[in-house]
């Protein structure tokens, strides 16, 4: 292991657990240097999350935009695997928080994870343009060509169900006046759109930005780290998981499976009757 | 099983999954009857959570009070088991959302669960007073005597570390003018205080309300269901878990244990050397 | 909190983490006093689990019986919520162990938890007969009457699907010669059967023992603690969860929901179109 | 998404859930074509796991070797993050299976995940030699040079604590006579050793194989799929997690953190006192 171990740091007096986030003493709870009692009632949920993650208090306009992203991702119905798993968990007799954790455990690279990949791409694109003093459009073209050559999927475009997602329009509608007003730079929103347009052009078919794409752009605009994206989405979709698990718990049905036991829904496709001692043992 | 099974309802045409929460169609995401694009930018995180859980849009004043509770519980440092588990998980090479889920999985009956028990007690107390037309103070006295007789712990009082928690004062400070202004009834805040005062009197020692106690009272004031409390707390403390797991992930240390390997921290207290084949086999 | 805190014990020099289970030193791994290298190849999976949990090496006959219980509970198909949740998780792009953990998280009081309740009842029944020098049948009758009066469900009888479960017969078939041979006492198997017979008699209808009931009886016969039952089942059903999640992961489908999006399977039952600003806000 | 969707397959009549593993009907539980009642009492835990995962009944000798790997990984003490997280979870008032799931959730790429990477490397190495008709030693040398050039870590060698792990010796001791007896080919054990020797030679220092390395080699010898390794390890280490969580639950301590609140263990390293409204807002 090339990385320095926790033990080494500890031996050098750095503490086993060290944190810039919070300091807890008797009758004192301080977050990033602020007294908790000053934060309560003065900062919103999205400001608190940003403060905990990034160490600064986001201004109100940006905080509202961030909050809009959290609201937009809150639910996508009981067929999303995260929601379905949370609902099933709620019928199994476990602690309610564990039903919520069950759903959140599923929000991985494929289920909501495109935002992280999108943010990385947007940050990289902009840095590459700055560092090499290249035209932004040229960087985007080069990177997209490279992705297509490697058969990688562009994150943040396309959807199993929607081809004109009302959430995406609404988020752009909220972000655009902030760009005009110079509250945010707009550069990441622009890069995201350029990727989508260019892919549509290269593929010669309609391709629309999805909720992960616009969420990535906005979260870059306000300076969130890409690697935290799956945690942030956990707190957004976590609202829907909590509500759906709660609704299912209240129906009183016990040990609910994913679907009825119909032959066209659940099919056994394996080996038919056999007995131990046969040839197939290895 | 006395409860009606999912299969029975399904056979009666009720749908296997049925929900009052959301309706998803092509290019439409509707939450509790509202178009998602109308909610985005118009409702806050706490309003969205309340809408998903309870079906109504909470007015702004109550929503801010609810948000204050979410902010107040967001973090209590790396020694909270939920936070520590999330931090350790972040060093183990799993999906970041799963590190967050790990921490949330721990927020059970003992770790943050007092709010649920507190809310149940407050709702029951008030209902009992109303239903039986009894003096509130008498109901509280009777119920507390009953709890003491059964050696049950009053939820929402006392803390391992704090005996004068600044978060509690601040939340009362925010709630009180709302009572005066009749934005909330104040009845649950009053019942909570009366339980705390009466217990202190009966025990003849100082006993202070804790953050779970005041959270319970406020969440009753705005009509949240007690059974959802552990899920709501998951989204509050989830902020701290996300931030701490993210901080730990960024240190680059791999597979971090709970503490250094010092003899006084980790002690083997079991049987000394023995060999198979001895008498102890059973 | 009436219980002694971890801090108090630590201050008295007891160690923060103390364990009778394992002692790890440089190039030494000792389990319950045995060198790990002596255990590897000499004890079976079920012996190792028993040793870790209970501190003793189970004799081979009992270990085989315990292993039979672990094998019997390994799988019940993709409609079990634990299995379905694990399969869905495997399509979401998370670490494979987290897909397994997702399924195990669901094996709670309602889903597999009857074994714990069953074991408690069997242990209590036998202790009560011994302590009070009462006839076993009388104790069983009294306790069952009490449960019926409180409308509590007898654990370990009845099943949503099976009324003559082949796993139950087979486990009895394996246990009975061991009773005759005095390898196990047989008392808990007998108590379990008596509860089932008596309930059928009182209800005047056929009631059969289920897999949880016979698992409870056998696990009592070999002295496992009731409170560990949900963990033991996690390692039994964990086999099926692992295999099903692995199968689903290999299909290559991404973000798989619980069922197709058919109207009769997924139904929206909530409020129809409304707009913000209406009367329903609270 | 280039992969075929679940919906497409379903529309073509393939079933939403399809499985080769198990078929459940009224009073019938069939696993891979075998009646469950035939498996119970006739196959061991490791045979059942292999059957569920791979579809065949492993012969007894190989099954015992596989079982030895499961036993060898069962526990590494309370400082392993998986074990520590499970122990903390057991003090938080959640369902016991959820405490076990908490620990298993941590067994990711860094914590136990080297076995999967090791298996992939061993399978690839052997295939490359076969496919290209190349000398095995040459393939190993080429691949190792390639890994070193890319600064990738060779999986299965080195350990934070052990440099002469007794578990590794013991597993080789059990496997070697099986190679001589042609029960297993021995090719993967040999490849694993050659990688370790060659790396030690190239680095010119002692480098020893670790438990993940030998587990990988044995699991390749018996034909397990690499991608299932983290699930298999979950069932091995799951024994230790269950036992440790159970031990901690029985101490009766509530809400136990990772370590005492000593300054040298838990250090706040962030910004000191500041107030809202200052310059740092962004």
């Amino acid at each position: 292991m090339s990385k320095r171990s926790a033990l080494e740091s500890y031996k050098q007096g750095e503490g086993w657990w060290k944190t810039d986030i919070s300091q807890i003493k008797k009758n004192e709870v301080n977050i990033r240097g602020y007294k908790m009692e000053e934060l309560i009632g003065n900062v919103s949920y999205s400001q608190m999350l940003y403060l905990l993650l990034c160490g600064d208090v986001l201004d109100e306009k940006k905080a509202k935009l961030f909050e809009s992203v959290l609201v937009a991702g809150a639910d996508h119905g009981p067929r999303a695997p995260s929601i379905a798993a949370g609902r099933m968990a709620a019928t199994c007799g476990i602690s309610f928080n564990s039903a919520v954790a069950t759903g959140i455990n599923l929000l991985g690279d494929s289920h909501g994870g495109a935002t992280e990949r999108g943010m990385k791409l947007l940050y990289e694109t902009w840095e590459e343009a700055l560092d090499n003093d290249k035209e932004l459009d040229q960087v985007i073209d080069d990177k997209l060509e490279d992705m297509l050559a490697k058969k990688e999927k562009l994150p943040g475009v396309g959807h199993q169900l929607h081809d004109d997602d009302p959430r995406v329009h609404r988020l752009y509608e909220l972000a655009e006046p902030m760009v005009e007003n110079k509250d945010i730079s707009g550069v990441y929103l622009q890069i995201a759109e350029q990727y989508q347009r260019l892919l549509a052009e290269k593929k010669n078919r309609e391709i629309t930005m999805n909720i992960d794409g616009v969420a990535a752009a906005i979260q870059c605009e306000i300076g969130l780290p890409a690697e935290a994206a799956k945690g942030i989405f956990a707190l957004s979709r976590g609202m829907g998981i909590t509500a759906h698990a709660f609704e299912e718990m209240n129906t009183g049905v016990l040990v609910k499976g994913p679907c009825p036991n119909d032959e066209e829904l659940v099919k056994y496709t394996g080996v038919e009757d056999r007995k131990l001692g046969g040839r197939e043992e290895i």
Side-chain angles (χ1 to χ4, degrees), chain A:
Chain A
M1 222 165 292
S2 59
K3 312 208 182 175
R4 202 161 61 123
S5 76
L7 199 58
E8 255 175 85
S9 321
Y10 175 64
K11 281 183 180 162
Q12 288 161 18
E14 287 185 29
W16 184 261
W17 295 103
K18 49 191 172 183
T19 181
D20 287 2
I21 299 172
S22 50
Q23 189 174 27
I24 315 298
K25 300 181 195 168
K26 187 169 179 182
N27 299 328
E28 277 185 52
V29 179
N30 297 327
I31 304 294
R32 298 281 190 184
Y34 298 103
K35 289 192 187 311
M36 182 61 107
E37 59 269 34
E38 199 189 349
L39 297 171
I40 300 170
N42 285 321
V43 301
S44 68
Y45 187 93
S46 60
Q47 283 178 312
M48 187 66 177
L49 176 54
Y50 192 93
L51 175 65
L52 284 160
L53 268 173
C54 304
D56 293 297
V57 176
L58 205 56
D59 75 48
E60 275 190 35
K61 278 183 161 183
K62 285 187 202 149
K64 280 211 76 169
L65 189 62
F66 181 24
E67 192 167 42
S68 299
V69 174
L70 298 177
V71 166
D75 188 20
H76 203 261
R79 281 188 69 255
S82 52
I83 300 283
R87 291 190 78 120
M88 294 196 303
T91 72
C92 290
I94 60 172
S95 190
F96 186 58
N97 58 298
S98 295
V100 174
T102 295
I104 288 177
N105 219 10
L106 270 68
L107 301 171
D109 281 345
S110 309
H111 186 11
T115 303
E116 179 179 344
R117 287 196 306 283
M119 290 178 77
K120 281 182 183 163
L121 179 65
L122 298 178
Y123 278 136
E124 274 170 28
T125 304
W126 183 229
E127 269 171 50
E128 219 166 294
L130 288 184
D131 289 357
N132 305 316
D133 202 21
K134 274 170 76 177
E135 284 295 317
L136 195 48
D137 280 8
Q138 191 56 50
V139 176
I140 293 171
D141 201 335
D142 292 350
K143 288 182 87 74
L144 189 56
E145 280 300 323
D146 190 51
M147 292 172 73
L148 293 173
K150 289 179 186 160
K151 298 200 180 297
E152 287 173 10
K153 207 179 155 316
L154 178 68
V157 297
H159 196 278
Q160 289 191 341
L161 181 62
H162 310 303
D163 59 15
D164 189 27
D165 190 328
R167 299 171 296 178
V168 176
H169 292 293
R170 177 63 176 148
L171 285 170
Y172 260 95
E173 194 181 293
L174 291 168
E176 273 158 10
M178 288 183 66
V179 178
E180 280 160 39
N181 205 37
K182 302 208 166 121
D183 299 315
I184 53 177
S185 77
V187 68
Y188 299 106
L189 290 155
Q190 184 194 329
I191 297 173
E193 282 185 298
Q194 178 60 9
Y195 269 111
Q196 168 254 317
R197 262 196 307 264
L198 196 62
L199 184 69
E201 201 183 295
K202 284 180 197 287
K203 296 272 190 185
N204 199 22
R205 59 180 168 84
E206 215 185 340
I207 284 167
T208 54
M209 199 179 294
N210 64 27
I211 181 85
D212 298 321
V214 63
I218 290 176
Q219 292 184 175
C220 286
E221 292 290 343
I222 61 177
L224 283 157
E227 294 76 11
K230 280 185 288 201
I232 293 166
F233 185 55
L235 299 170
S236 164
R237 182 58 54 90
M239 287 191 269
I241 295 169
T242 300
H244 279 278
F246 182 68
E247 187 183 53
E248 191 70 45
M249 189 170 65
N250 285 338
T251 64
V253 168
L254 295 182
V255 194
K256 184 169 180 174
C259 60
N261 195 12
D262 297 345
E263 178 71 17
E264 78 266 29
L265 288 169
V266 185
K267 236 175 208 167
Y268 177 66
T269 48
V271 175
E272 288 304 325
D273 291 1
R274 54 179 177 168
K275 293 182 79 58
L276 284 177
R279 280 293 196 102
E280 69 286 345
E281 292 182 24
I282 63 166

